[in-house]
Amino acid sequence: MSNDLRGLNDLDRLIHEPARLLIVTILSTAASADFLFLQREAGLTKGNLSAHLSKLEEAGYVKIEKTFKGKLPLTVCKLTAKGQKAYTAYRQQMQAFMDKTS
Amino acid sequence: MSNDLRGLNDLDRLIHEPARLLIVTILSTAASADFLFLQREAGLTKGNLSAHLSKLEEAGYVKIEKTFKGKLPLTVCKLTAKGQKAYTAYRQQMQAFMDKTS
DNA sequence: CAAACTAGTTTGCAACGCAAACTATATTCG
DNA sequence: CGAATATAGTTTGCGTTGCAAACTAGTTTG
């Protein structure tokens, strides 16, 4: 016993948040995704997706480019190297937890 | 593709919180644990442990009994059936996510 | 009897997540 | 043309959260 689980306490909260974990997961397999695709895929409202993306961008986990598709706004999101790394680390910690407690 | 990951959005937030996930995990393998043991094992401050335990108790996930060891207060915590079930469900969902995205 | 220790609880507050309201441009319809 | 509707997002309002720090109550030690 005396299993060391305290690692959980330093999970990256930015990624731990389910909505953002979802976003980052989608981005990690997509190379690039636009706002509406993310919205559909993640099942979030525009408002909440917008807020979460801002947070991820602020952290440097996601790069956001606003352009146009024809005449309509188009917001394209990409996971940065930093974001990819944080995501990988998160998964490692979480899987380690699952394994230690299986 | 078009993997359905949206299940993440209904993770039980009570258990998803790392400090509480830690507490519940410890309780799930201990049958019963006192306040100070939990504190040491989880690496939490007394204040935060107290607050998290209250929340878990309120949800009916943990049963808390205050007694005495000699003349000193002794708070003993047990996971309830409901808590055990919620914990199991959480693990299942999280592992499903990990598997689907491995 | 005052200081220090034990075992917790409560408080103060910034940050968070969500729903609802809002902005800005574009298109459609009478 | 001008009002209504749609598209693609952003901002706001607000109750809730988690954390650190302060507090409580009883106990032991000097």
Side-chain angles (χ1 to χ4, degrees):
Chain A
M1 272 308 127
S2 197
N3 231 327
D4 207 29
L5 305 171
R6 294 193 262 328
L8 277 187
N9 283 322
D10 34 73
L11 281 176
D12 185 338
R13 311 293 281 232
L14 230 95
I15 291 191
H16 190 56
E17 164 62 29
R20 283 187 304 257
L21 179 51
L22 206 35
I23 293 170
V24 168
T25 298
I26 294 166
L27 290 179
S28 81
T29 70
S32 148
D34 64 77
F35 190 94
L36 294 173
F37 172 76
L38 272 177
Q39 198 206 329
R40 272 201 339 277
E41 208 70 4
L44 297 169
T45 64
K46 290 171 193 301
N48 294 338
L49 176 55
S50 177
H52 285 307
L53 282 176
S54 292
K55 221 152 267 195
L56 288 168
E57 184 182 30
E58 207 177 341
Y61 286 3
V62 163
K63 174 108 178 303
I64 298 180
E65 280 203 339
K66 285 149 205 283
T67 68
F68 289 86
K69 168 157 64 176
K71 300 183 167 181
L72 291 176
L74 178 69
T75 297
V76 179
C77 311
K78 264 172 152 31
L79 202 58
T80 64
K82 187 175 178 187
Q84 186 63 252
K85 202 174 141 194
Y87 176 61
T88 301
Y90 176 85
R91 291 187 58 91
Q92 248 154 30
Q93 291 172 85
M94 186 51 87
Q95 190 61 63
F97 164 74
M98 295 300 272
D99 292 346
K100 277 193 275 195
T101 59
S102 58
Chain B
M1 269 310 126
S2 196
N3 230 326
D4 207 28
L5 304 170
R6 295 192 262 324
L8 276 187
N9 283 322
D10 33 71
L11 280 176
D12 184 339
R13 313 292 282 231
L14 230 94
I15 290 190
H16 190 57
E17 164 62 30
R20 284 187 301 257
L21 179 51
L22 205 36
I23 292 170
V24 167
T25 298
I26 294 167
L27 289 180
S28 81
T29 70
S32 149
D34 65 77
F35 191 95
L36 295 172
F37 172 76
L38 273 177
Q39 198 206 329
R40 273 201 339 277
E41 209 71 2
L44 298 169
T45 64
K46 289 171 195 299
N48 294 338
L49 175 55
S50 177
H52 286 306
L53 281 177
S54 292
K55 222 153 266 199
L56 289 169
E57 184 182 29
E58 207 176 340
Y61 286 3
V62 163
K63 173 110 177 304
I64 298 181
E65 281 204 337
K66 283 149 206 282
T67 67
F68 288 86
K69 168 156 67 176
K71 299 184 167 181
L72 290 177
L74 178 69
T75 296
V76 179
C77 311
K78 265 173 151 33
L79 202 58
T80 64
K82 186 174 178 188
Q84 186 63 253
K85 201 174 143 194
Y87 176 62
T88 301
Y90 176 84
R91 291 187 58 91
Q92 247 153 30
Q93 290 173 85
M94 185 52 86
Q95 189 61 63
F97 164 75
M98 295 298 275
D99 292 347
K100 276 192 276 196
T101 59
S102 58

